[in-house]
Amino acid sequence: MNGKQEKTEIILAGSVIGIIASLLVFLGNPENMGFCIACFLRDISGALGLHRAAAVQYLRPEIVGLVLGSFILALARKEYSVRGGSSPMTRFVLGFFVMIGCLMFLGCPFRMILRLAGGDLNALLGLGGFVVGILAGVWFLNRGYSLKRTYKLPQTEGMLFPAMQAVLLVLLIAAPSFIFFTEAGGGPGAKHAAIAVSLAAGLIVGALAQKTRLCMVGGIRDIVLFRETKLLSGFVAVFVLALVSNLILNAVSGGVFFKVGFAEQPVAHVDGLWNFLGMFLVGLGCVLLGGCPLRQLVLAGEGNTDSAITVLGLMVGAAFCHNFGLASSGAGPTANGKIGVIVGILVVAGIGAANTFRKEN
C-alpha cells in the first residue's frame, strides 16, 4: 500500500469512528463522551470496587470491544505478536500519572476531540496543553529517550489480557452483586447505550484502530519529527464527522449534541490553567509511553504485555484519583488534583530524564 492509499484508509477509519462516537451519545452514552478511554477505564475501576464514587461505576463494553477487535484483527492479519519486558514498572507509573492528567481535564485525547466536536471550547485549552506536552516529550526523544527493547514471550502471556476482557463482558451480562453499577440518574455511569450496541461499536473501533495504527499522540509527534500527517489526518476526520453528526442529531432531535461555549458543558469545568496542565501531563506521558490510551489498548490486544501493564496503571490511577479526591468535576479541579498534576509532571519529566541521560554500564 502506498502512502496516499494508507492516508485515505486512515481518513475513512477516522470518519467511521467519529460517526460511531456521536451515535453512541444519541443511543445513551454521556454527552460529548461517545468514546473516552480514560472515563471508561475509570468506570470499570469503579464497577470492580477499586473506587467507590457511585456516580462513575459501569463495566463499559466499548473497552472490551476495543481490545477484542484489535485482538481478532491482529490474529487475522498475522500481526499478533506477544512481546514485553520494556521497563514494565516504568510504564505502569507513566500510565498512573497519565490518568491523573486525564481526570484533571476530564477526558482522554479522544474525548478532547469529541468535546471540541460538541462545541466545548474548554477543550481548546486542553488541546494547547496536550500539544505542548507532546513537544516536551519529543525533546526527550530527540536526545535518545528509550525504555529499551521488548522480548518475545509465550503466547499464553499475551492471551491473558483479552481473556480478562471476556470475563468483564460475562460479569456485565450476569451483573452479580459484587459488581457495582451507578443507579439510574446517579451520574455518568448510569448513561450508556445497550450492551450489544456498545460492544459492536468497540469491536469496530478496535479493528479500525489496529489496522490504521490510529494514535493522536503519534500523529502530532510524527508531524514534529518527520513532517508526516497521515496519523493526525485520522483524528481530523474523527473531529469533522463527529461535528457533522452532532449538528445533524441536534437538528433532528432538538437535543444537546452541540453547544458552543465554555460554561455549562457536560462533564467539564472552566478552569483553563488546569485543563492546560492536565493535558500537558497527558501529552508528555503518552509520548514517553509511545502512544495514547487508545493506542495502548489496541497494542494490548495485539499481544503487547507492556501496554497491558500500562492500561492497568491507568485503571489504578483512576481508582487513586477518586479514592483520594484528585478527580475534577463540573465544579472544577480539587486542591489534591492540582498537587497530583504538579507531582505527575515532575515524576514523568524525571522518568524522561532518567531514561535519556542515564549512563550505560
Side-chain angles (χ1 to χ4, degrees), residues 18-29:
I19 293 170
I20 287 174
S22 186
L23 287 176
L24 281 173
V25 174
F26 179 71
L27 295 170
N29 276 17

Side-chain angles (χ1 to χ4, degrees), residues 85-92 146-149 306 355 358:
S86 170
S87 306
M89 280 306 299
T90 298
R91 293 179 185 276
F92 180 92
S146 172
L147 292 180
K148 303 307 176 185
R149 58 166 292 187
D306 293 329
N355 290 279
R358 64 185 175 188

